[in-house]
Amino acid sequence: MARAFVFPGQGSQDVGMGKALADAFPAARAVFEEVDDALGEKLSALIWEGPKETLTLTENAQPALMAVSMAVMRVLEKEKGISLGDKVKFVAGHSLGEYSALAAAGAFSLADAARLLRLRGRAMQKAVPVGVGAMAALLGVGVDVAEKVAAEAAQGDVCQVANDNEPTQVVLSGHKVAIDRVAEIGKKYGVRRAVPLPVSAPFHCSLMQPAADAMAEALANVTVNTPVVPVIANVLAQPISDPDAIKKRLVEQVTGTVRWRECVATMAANGVTDFYEIGAGKVLAGLVKRTASTANAVSLGAPSDIDAALAALSS
């Protein structure tokens, strides 16, 4: 039996997330204070009090979700005695969650992770004018079919696979005019539904190149340590530990596909049977179960979740 800790991406945010942790545990409270200090503002107040529209802005949601994930991690480590290096074989995160995974594994300091994600969120938002880009989730088909739909919908515009989430859910990203063609084209390929996503920019496609350039510059000036356990890189779906490789893959990730289905499959093939989603929401636990049907997947975001999982994690 082996474990993996996985860290959620954008869309899992909600007002009030992490508040019960901060109220119950000094180690969690300290995480939010450290993130506030790193950003020079009270992000914690926005996380706990809203408004939701402001929290959902990419530049806020990204560091906020990382903060909640790290609050859970610090409680596990400092208050419950769970050592990541001893108890976990791999870490992985969905898009921005890869930064949370790396911070959890000691590759980034908490302050650097917060500042990088604030910059990443702003750079991604600025890369494409509002209304020019869009994203849509294709339900009922896998990545092979999604790639055919994307190629046909492009018609000279950008339309690419952004997220390969699980065997029957793939997200496309690109110019809005191309994404608008996806639903009709998808019908003949067996797409059950094409669901427009409520996002403010077309993430994980070539339109994000200005943001990738910004991240390359930022990461060049940040210390990356060797993580205590390997991280499964989004763009490779393979484990990496070398600091230079980590920086390179994080830059590629901005414009590249989040190969989440393959990341889960890689971990399962390497003996992982128990996946713990660390942070807000339960999205990844669901994706894990639909990819590795025999795996156990548990979400840890509240004090009661941690208490319920403690016996299994301690063994």
Side-chain angles (χ1 to χ4, degrees):
M1 181 194 81
R3 301 182 191 89
F5 279 7
V6 296
F7 296 81
Q10 216 160 319
S12 290
Q13 69 275 355
D14 205 4
V15 173
M17 62 183 183
K19 182 72 166 69
L21 284 169
D23 288 344
F25 300 109
R29 202 153 52 247
V31 167
F32 291 104
E33 290 168 0
E34 198 174 330
V35 169
D36 287 350
D37 288 346
L39 298 179
E41 66 181 73
K42 279 278 190 184
L43 184 66
S44 58
L46 176 61
I47 296 170
W48 296 334
E49 299 162 19
K52 185 163 187 172
E53 310 81 69
T54 310
L55 177 61
T56 301
L57 292 173
T58 301
E59 66 181 69
N60 294 325
Q62 294 199 21
L65 284 161
M66 184 278 300
V68 176
S69 289
M70 286 303 297
V72 176
M73 281 302 308
R74 291 278 175 85
V75 171
L76 288 172
E77 291 178 328
K78 295 198 169 181
E79 313 230 8
K80 304 298 183 182
I82 303 296
S83 164
L84 183 75
D86 294 337
K87 298 295 185 182
V88 173
K89 188 169 185 178
F90 300 111
V91 293
H94 192 286
S95 189
L96 84 90
E98 193 162 332
Y99 286 79
S100 308
L102 287 161
F108 287 132
S109 71
L110 178 59
D112 280 343
R115 286 189 287 260
L116 284 167
L117 285 172
R118 166 56 55 84
L119 187 148
R120 183 178 184 267
R122 284 181 174 161
M124 291 172 103
Q125 188 60 66
K126 269 174 50 183
V128 181
V130 173
V132 171
M135 300 177 76
L138 304 189
L139 306 183
V141 297
V143 70
D144 293 348
V145 171
E147 284 172 345
K148 292 174 183 171
V149 174
E152 194 168 324
Q155 297 176 26
D157 298 307
V158 171
C159 189
Q160 294 170 236
V161 172
N163 307 339
D164 177 9
N165 283 332
E166 48 104 328
T168 62
Q169 188 200 106
V170 181
V171 175
L172 300 185
S173 180
H175 284 111
K176 187 176 187 301
V177 289
I179 298 297
D180 286 346
R181 292 189 278 261
V182 163
E184 192 58 38
I185 289 168
K187 288 176 185 173
K188 67 181 179 184
Y189 286 100
V191 174
R192 195 169 78 242
R193 277 176 70 209
V195 182
L197 299 184
V199 294
S200 52
F203 306 131
H204 300 291
C205 75
S206 61
L207 296 175
M208 288 285 114
Q209 189 57 50
D213 295 341
M215 292 314 296
E217 187 177 334
L219 285 160
N221 296 310
V222 169
T223 299
V224 177
N225 305 307
T226 302
V228 295
V229 297
V231 60
I232 307 294
N234 279 188
V235 295
L236 292 179
Q238 293 296 325
I240 58 172
S241 293
D242 175 71
D244 288 337
I246 287 168
K247 289 184 179 185
K248 184 170 187 282
R249 301 311 177 189
L250 287 175
V251 173
E252 291 173 0
Q253 188 225 66
V254 179
T255 56
T257 302
V258 175
R259 297 166 60 183
W260 188 252
R261 174 184 58 84
E262 292 174 89
C263 289
V264 172
T266 294
M267 289 184 273
N270 280 278
V272 173
T273 54
D274 296 282
F275 292 80
Y276 291 85
E277 180 175 11
I278 307 295
K282 301 181 187 304
V283 172
L284 295 189
L287 298 182
V288 165
K289 287 173 181 171
R290 291 194 287 278
T291 299
S293 57
T294 60
N296 300 311
V298 177
S299 300
L300 304 184
S304 57
D305 300 332
I306 293 171
D307 290 340
L310 209 53
L313 280 171
S314 300
S315 64

